[in-house]
Amino acid sequence: MTNPIHGPDYSDLSTTAVTYCWVSRHQGQRPGSQDVVTRELAAALAEYATQQNTRLVGNMNMDFPEYRALPQDVRRALLRMMWRQERWWRFGGLVLVRAWQSTAPVTVADA
C-alpha cells in the first residue's frame, strides 16, 4: 500500500511504481513548468508499468521527499542519476521530485 502523506512503502514495492526527477529550483519557478514535470513523471510511471507487464491504478501522488530519509539503495541510485543528468556546480540548486502510483496485473480486459 502507499501512503500519500509519507510516500510509498519501500519495504514492498511489488504493487507500486515509483519514479524521481531532479529539477532546478529556477526551472521549477517558471510558469507552466509544474505541468511539464508532472507529465514527465506520469510518462515514466506508465513506461515502468508497461515494462513490468502491469497497469497503473488509482491516482498518481507526488511530493518533494527529504533525500536523507530515503532508503540507502534509493539514495545511491538518485546520486548516480543526478551525476549523469547535471553538472556538479548545479547540485545545490536541484530539488528532488518523487511520484508514485499503485499497479495491478494486466488483465484480459486490458489487453
Side-chain angles (χ1 to χ4, degrees), residues 3-100:
N3 182 341
I5 296 171
H6 301 313
D9 177 6
Y10 286 97
S11 65
D12 180 16
L13 291 176
S14 62
T15 60
T16 306
V18 182
T19 190
Y20 304 85
C21 71
W22 290 101
V23 179
S24 75
R25 282 186 176 84
H26 178 69
Q27 175 190 356
Q29 294 170 349
R30 287 188 209 139
S33 66
Q34 294 87 358
D35 292 337
V36 172
V37 171
T38 301
R39 282 194 304 272
E40 289 174 356
L41 290 169
L45 290 173
E47 181 180 335
Y48 174 82
T50 300
Q51 291 172 352
Q52 301 300 313
N53 198 30
T54 60
R55 60 189 169 89
L56 297 172
V57 294
N59 295 323
M60 179 178 80
N61 298 291
M62 292 176 56
D63 68 358
F64 302 93
E66 174 61 40
Y67 174 78
R68 288 183 171 86
L70 297 171
Q72 187 175 12
D73 60 327
V74 173
R75 290 192 317 256
R76 283 187 192 127
L78 289 170
L79 278 178
R80 283 192 298 271
M81 182 174 70
M82 181 172 46
W83 292 333
R84 285 191 304 267
Q85 177 181 331
E86 298 293 343
R87 302 290 184 218
W88 64 269
W89 59 84
R90 291 183 44 154
F91 288 179
L94 297 176
V95 175
L96 182 61
V97 183
R98 169 177 62 185
W100 68 96

